[in-house]
Amino acid sequence: MNICIKSLKSKVREEVKKQVASLSASDIEKQSNSIIDKLLNLQKYKESNRVSVYLSMKDEVQTDKIVEDILSSGKTCFIPLYTKTSMSMVKLNSMEDLKSLPKTKWNIRQPLETDAREEASEKGIDLMITPGLAFSKDGIRLGRGKGYYDRYLTEYAKKTGHNLFTVGLAFQQQIRPDIPIEETDQKLNLVITPDCS
């Protein structure tokens, strides 16, 4: 990794973390609801049958309502399963299944590695909803530095022969005009914020 780009990314992460930390619980709820409304009305979302979505931490756009909509509308829902070195997208069966999942050290619910669940890439994903720390309006995404999503998207394209349609969900405070990027960074198709999409 280019040391200069690494340093610039770290600086953006620190700035955005401070901005997001200043949001109250009601700010997070209000922005999340606005973003979710836009997502659920998106034609691509309506047409998608197999949707993957991250399970939110308290400082991210909240996704429980999205999970609920995916399941209640008869779509198939996939959620991340993180290991030390990789991420897979595995099937979530129901809201009861979601509530029963154990929490990781990051306080994120996720299935156990030993669970027998369908991996999304076996039959493909129509739409992936991605988290991130910072975003540009044109689809550049800055994650938390572990590279899970970038690697998954690269491997998915190799395995299936086509790119995933990806949507980022961002608080207004997470939007930046310029985000440093590297060759391995995967651009999103769309970023949804409270005031635009």
Side-chain angles (χ1 to χ4, degrees):
M1 178 187 279
N2 182 309
I3 292 170
C4 182
I5 291 176
K6 186 175 181 178
S7 173
L8 289 169
K9 282 185 170 185
S10 294
K11 188 178 178 191
V12 174
R13 284 189 184 102
E14 284 173 28
E15 289 170 1
V16 173
K17 279 180 184 176
K18 284 178 188 171
Q19 292 260 326
V20 172
S22 71
L23 290 171
S24 67
S26 63
D27 287 335
I28 287 174
E29 184 181 11
K30 186 178 176 184
Q31 288 199 51
S32 292
N33 287 339
S34 174
I35 291 163
I36 290 164
D37 284 346
K38 289 174 191 286
L39 173 74
L40 300 188
N41 284 301
L42 193 68
Q43 193 59 36
K44 179 66 179 176
Y45 174 80
K46 290 177 181 179
E47 293 168 357
S48 297
N49 293 313
R50 294 167 62 85
V51 181
S52 85
V53 61
Y54 67 94
L55 299 181
S56 49
M57 295 189 284
K58 65 179 183 177
D59 63 348
E60 294 176 321
V61 173
Q62 299 299 290
T63 58
D64 279 6
K65 288 179 183 174
I66 299 170
V67 173
E68 200 169 334
D69 188 83
I70 293 168
L71 293 167
S72 67
S73 60
K75 301 177 191 292
T76 306
C77 184
F78 295 93
I79 58 172
L81 171 58
Y82 302 96
T83 67
K84 283 184 179 178
T85 57
S86 66
M87 177 184 77
S88 55
M89 287 289 167
V90 297
K91 186 176 178 182
L92 180 73
N93 300 304
S94 64
M95 288 305 287
E96 291 71 33
D97 186 18
L98 175 67
K99 289 171 188 167
S100 72
L101 296 177
K103 290 189 176 180
T104 66
K105 64 180 179 181
W106 300 289
N107 211 28
I108 304 172
R109 292 164 291 184
Q110 81 165 22
L112 297 170
E113 287 182 57
T114 53
D115 286 359
R117 293 175 185 263
E118 178 190 342
E119 209 291 322
S121 63
E122 291 170 20
K123 295 179 185 173
I125 304 171
D126 299 319
L127 173 69
M128 174 181 269
I129 300 162
T130 67
L133 253 180
F135 302 84
S136 68
K137 289 187 177 180
D138 65 345
I140 303 298
R141 170 189 165 274
L142 179 63
R144 294 177 185 266
K146 302 286 186 189
Y148 285 118
Y149 277 84
D150 291 321
R151 282 196 303 276
Y152 187 88
L153 291 169
T154 300
E155 288 303 314
Y156 182 92
K158 282 181 190 171
K159 186 175 181 179
T160 64
H162 67 275
N163 294 321
L164 259 170
F165 190 94
T166 50
V167 177
L169 307 182
F171 297 127
Q172 216 42 62
Q173 290 76 5
Q174 293 177 286
I175 297 296
R176 288 289 181 272
D178 293 303
I179 293 177
I181 59 168
E182 298 165 89
E183 278 184 29
T184 53
D185 293 331
Q186 300 289 315
K187 193 171 180 180
L188 305 177
N189 294 93
L190 181 67
V191 176
I192 301 178
T193 63
D195 71 347
C196 66
S197 64

